Amino acid sequence: MFAVHLLAFHFTKLKEDQIKKVDRFLHQLRLSDDVLQDVTARFQAEMLKGLARDTNPTAAVKMLPSFVRSLPDGSEKGEFLAVDLGGSQLRAHQVKVFDDGKQSSQLESKFYPTPKEVTQGNGAELFGYIADCLSDFMETRNLKQKKLPLGFTFSFPCKQTKLDEGVLLEWTKHFRVRGVQGTDVVSSLHRALQKHQDIDVDVLALVNDTVGTMMTCGYDDQRCEVGLIIGTGTNACYMEEMRHISLVEGDEGRMCINTEWGAFGDDGALDDLRTEFDRELDLGSLNPGKQLFEKMISSLYLGELVRLILLKMTKEGLLFNGKVSTALLTKGKIETKHVSAMEKYKEGLSNTREILRELKLFPSEEDCVAVQHVCTIVSFRSANLCAAALAAILTRLRDNKKLLRMRTTVGIDGGLYKTHPRYAKRLHKVLRRLVPTCDVRFLLSQGGSGRGAALVTAVALRLAAQRRRLDAALAPFLLPPSTLQEVRDSMRAELEYGLKRETQAQATVKMLPTYVCGMPDGTEKGKFLALDLGGTNFRVLLVKIKSGRRRSVQMYNKIFAIPLEIMQGTGEELFDHIVQCIADFLDYMGIKGARLPLGFTFSFPCRQASIDKGTLVGWTKGFKATDCEGEDVVDMLREAIRRRNEFDLDIVAVVNDTVGTMMTCGYEDPNCEIGLIAGTGTNVCYMEDMKNIETVEGNEGQMCINTEWGAFGDNGCIDHIRTKYDREVDEGSLNPGKQRYEKMTSGMYLGEIVRQILIDLTKQGLLFRGHISESLRKRGIFETKFLSQIESDRLALLQVRRILQQLGLDSTCEDSIIVKEVCAAVSTRAARLCGAGLAAVVEKKRQNRGVERLQITVGVDGTLYKLHPHFSRILQETVKELAPQCDVTFMLSEDGSGKGAALITAVAKRLHNVGQK
């Protein structure tokens, strides 16, 4: 027993001594975590260089766009061919993808050799050989009678401008085919296939093997967004945000980037980490000075690195008693499969002895231990470097998503990872230390890049079909200039009908006189009360106006809610509630005894007989209080004040919110004669010449006309541009058949239009995996504020997904892109239609003045105009396009409704006093 322990001690001591000897000799290959984190930082910098248009030409890591924009979603189906070129064999595949709810596929393959005369011959021979192999495969599978799409896995760096086109940048690994570099490899394969007239194959996708690996694993695990190859060569790909890829047009969605990280260090970025053995191996390779990172990692080179190290150690007398064999001097005699065999857990030492003897070396026990440790250090450095670069990719993914901690899956393939006994464990362990904030699952590729190429093709076909159906759904929202001109001309005609006595009753645009006959001139002064009713909130304001050189407007206000039961109760309940709010405000301000002049902003269509009388034509914007339509709202307010019998008010003016907006801006800019509201509802007012207003007596001066253009189209004149979604929204509204223009342009309805489209697209299987959630079925769930958030240029798609998740919608990245596009189509149409209507108004103003060119200011208010990221710009561009002879300035109203009501009251008082004098 003692002898056994002594022998074990002796062997352990021997092993420790040999390990220390090798560690000292190869100290440069042993990389600390600090060094690896530095490598991660260097690779992150290289990624940024490769992604940027200006620095990409000189970047070593090319970050090549793959034009793969989506991972599989499980709905892919069909039969595909795939050809895989990149390693020691050419592979042909038949792939069947089933849409059976189980995400299953079937793969049949055949392997063909890639002899040296093919891999180092000319391009015509290479692609002719590929076509011959594919023809043979189709013959054996009885596929020649079918027309099948093909995905071409080509595992070499290519610059792609689309999915089915790729120009070879340079050969890697052991390939050196003449006349191919700088040419489109897909075209070359097409030409070779055309010589086989008995087969009909359409090459739809060019795929790097890393991309194919990611797609294969992404089909099985939708968290997979990284593909990694560690085999004959090494490379990685990942899903990058389009907004970061300046090499490709567009900033929506994501695209898979083929990093081509094998070239990392070709610009000298890793020179301090490369050893004399790396330099010697590089000089003896087919491509000196290139793929330097790959030469430190991949299985094509690890065996040779080990040989070079053993050769030097032997020459220095550290191994084999200094005796060098011819085999040890021969390049390629030690392969990575030998390294793997020597590192096996139990039989590693015996494998080492056997392999060394095959090399005509006569190792001692010490030699075997030392050689085994050399293999461990070389393969360990490979795993370390691979982990450092992968850590950079994972960190970038996490930062793109703005997450503190991220769960993701890495799809992986390659002989070194799969067959080396310790490589995977080392890689995983080091990666956990380098990126502790990422929970990474490694998923082995099943079917590899061949299945992946088929899946890329299937996804491309799915996206193309989805694109066609999405375009068909959104086409009616893309109004051409000729249609907008028709809308402008129809609106202009309706403006005229509303002004004429004989046609006003039938006109949809009622052109209601407001009896506001003057604009502020700067002499207005005094204290005024203002009421603002037009939405779910009601405001009471005290407005102090000062005139003179230091003219100013000071406002104090209080906001009160109007419950739904009041909005849709009786008229008496509504006005009693209003008076209750006024009483609270007067108490709050301590002015209950003062009898101040009051302007009442009442943002609903009223027919006025004077400035202080307004008969409600009809409710809009969700109000439905009974016994109000056809009644004078000023009288109803006065009656409610009398019922309360606590205070009295001098109600001078009833005002529409558009008129208040115009007056507010007119106080700052005398050129303002138009008011526009683009918010919950939409409307326009403008100063019209009295001689054109046949519904009011008198021909002198001007009067503000409240167009109430929201009802434009209620006579059917714009039915040809209304979509089925507009009709669905209209039918479900409180006032079917009315306010049709407003329902296409205002904030109260845009979100509901989007919801109807999303339901339709989901039924077609284009969204949310075809599942209509309970939340999506709820009317009003998709508010217009979500459009503004979703369409923001600053909002990443991940944030769009979060908004959708808040609405109970389980979305993918691709869903978010579609939702954003739907929102953009709906809001753009709204802005264009609003611009066409406004163009009719400004053109009318120009012709009224009889000038060739008009300069005018439009006062604007409304949340849609102010908060939506693109609405105001599109509206302004449309007005410029449709009214080219008008120079229109848009001025945002500051608190238009309240301030405007007080200013109208002040102007009315001033004009009244002038009339009395």
Side-chain angles (χ1 to χ4, degrees), residues 5 25 52 64 183 237 257 334 351 380-381 403 495 703 737 860:
H5 283 296
F25 189 78
L64 301 172
T183 66
C237 70
I257 290 292
I334 297 180
N351 288 344
F380 202 179
R381 185 186 70 156
L403 295 174
L495 297 177
M703 180 182 289
V860 195

Side-chain angles (χ1 to χ4, degrees), residues 32 109 120 364 407 442 560 616 754 789 828 911:
S32 68
S109 305
Q120 297 184 25
S364 65
R407 286 180 62 198
F442 284 85
F560 302 89
L616 177 62
V754 168
Q789 294 170 6
T828 297
L911 294 177

Side-chain angles (χ1 to χ4, degrees), residues 694-710:
E694 295 183 6
T695 55
V696 175
E697 295 299 323
N699 290 314
E700 297 299 323
Q702 291 186 312
M703 180 182 289
C704 180
I705 292 292
N706 167 20
T707 66
E708 286 297 340
W709 76 0

Side-chain angles (χ1 to χ4, degrees), residues 537-564:
N537 290 329
F538 170 65
R539 288 192 309 157
V540 186
L541 306 96
L542 174 65
V543 184
K544 297 179 180 179
I545 304 174
K546 292 182 180 179
S547 60
R549 283 190 304 172
R550 294 186 177 179
R551 69 176 192 163
S552 65
V553 178
Q554 291 179 302
M555 291 182 292
Y556 310 88
N557 74 87
K558 199 169 181 184
I559 299 173
F560 302 89
I562 299 188
L564 184 63

